[in-house]
Amino acid sequence: VSRLFPSTIYTGMSRRSTSIPTPSSRRFSACSRAAVTRCCSRYATTRALRARTRKRLKRATRADNVSFDGFARVAHVTDATDWRVEYPFVVVSPDSEDEVASVVRELIALGLTIIPRGGGTGYTGGAVPLTRRSAVLNTEKLEALSAVEWVELPGVGRQVPTLRAGAGVVTRRAMDAAE
């Protein structure tokens, strides 16, 4: 009996397999089959969730604002912290603030965790997806920035300088505008 192939018996120049499954090989085969089945079912589940997501988000924003592709997902896997925990399931980039509420409503209905993301320059890890079923709400397009205005705010009793910044405005740009 060969040490390399213990289940194979060599007789002369020919060999024949005895194919006697051992308990450990049966356990290995069963575990392998179960793993492949789980993996295949995840693909089917993911495909179905993507179809539902496309259908629901079509009501809220343009189809090309919804990205499942690898490039968009990799680009939104982290922020400036460079922490990587999980890839987002989908990246949604609404064209206007008016679309945000309906996009959020649809993502909640789908049971996805929403990760709001501005320019991706934050150092807090707040834009890092932590679950497989997360949706990054990319607000980079929402970059309106007003001039500084003097406004009387409730409870302050005097006018103070303010500016209106869209959710996608990078902090440095807002600071420059305030100077």
Side-chain angles (χ1 to χ4, degrees):
V1 176
S2 167
R3 288 178 186 236
L4 295 175
F5 304 101
S7 64
T8 304
I9 299 173
Y10 287 89
T11 53
M13 294 300 286
S14 65
R15 66 183 180 137
R16 62 182 170 84
S17 174
T18 59
S19 54
I20 302 170
T22 63
S24 62
S25 67
R26 281 191 292 267
R27 204 169 35 254
F28 176 77
S29 292
C31 289
S32 298
R33 275 192 297 279
V36 169
T37 301
R38 279 193 312 274
C39 183
C40 290
S41 72
R42 279 193 196 141
Y43 285 122
T45 302
T46 299
R47 222 178 357 264
L49 182 56
R50 282 185 179 169
R52 283 196 325 273
T53 302
R54 276 192 189 95
K55 184 178 179 180
R56 290 196 73 115
L57 289 176
K58 192 169 32 172
R59 304 174 196 168
T61 189
R62 293 179 309 141
D64 63 335
N65 288 340
V66 179
S67 302
F68 295 100
D69 64 276
F71 179 75
R73 294 173 62 222
V74 166
H76 292 83
V77 78
T78 189
D79 57 12
T81 62
D82 207 26
W83 296 336
R84 288 172 170 81
V85 178
E86 190 64 67
Y87 287 89
F89 172 72
V90 64
V91 177
V92 185
S93 304
D95 288 318
S96 68
E97 287 181 21
D98 296 334
E99 291 180 0
V100 173
S102 54
V103 166
V104 168
R105 193 173 16 261
E106 297 300 337
L107 293 173
I108 290 170
L110 289 161
L112 298 175
T113 301
I114 302 169
I115 311 291
R117 178 187 163 107
T121 59
Y123 285 102
T124 63
V128 177
L130 301 177
T131 69
R132 299 179 94 160
R133 291 181 52 122
S134 61
V136 171
L137 183 58
N138 181 337
T139 62
E140 288 176 346
K141 293 180 189 176
L142 311 180
E143 57 181 355
L145 184 62
S146 74
V148 174
E149 300 175 48
W150 289 85
V151 177
E152 188 169 324
L153 298 175
V156 177
R158 62 181 168 78
Q159 288 192 334
V160 292
T162 61
L163 59 87
R164 177 174 163 75
V169 173
V170 177
T171 305
R172 177 85 251 165
R173 191 169 154 230
M175 290 169 56
D176 291 345
E179 288 181 352

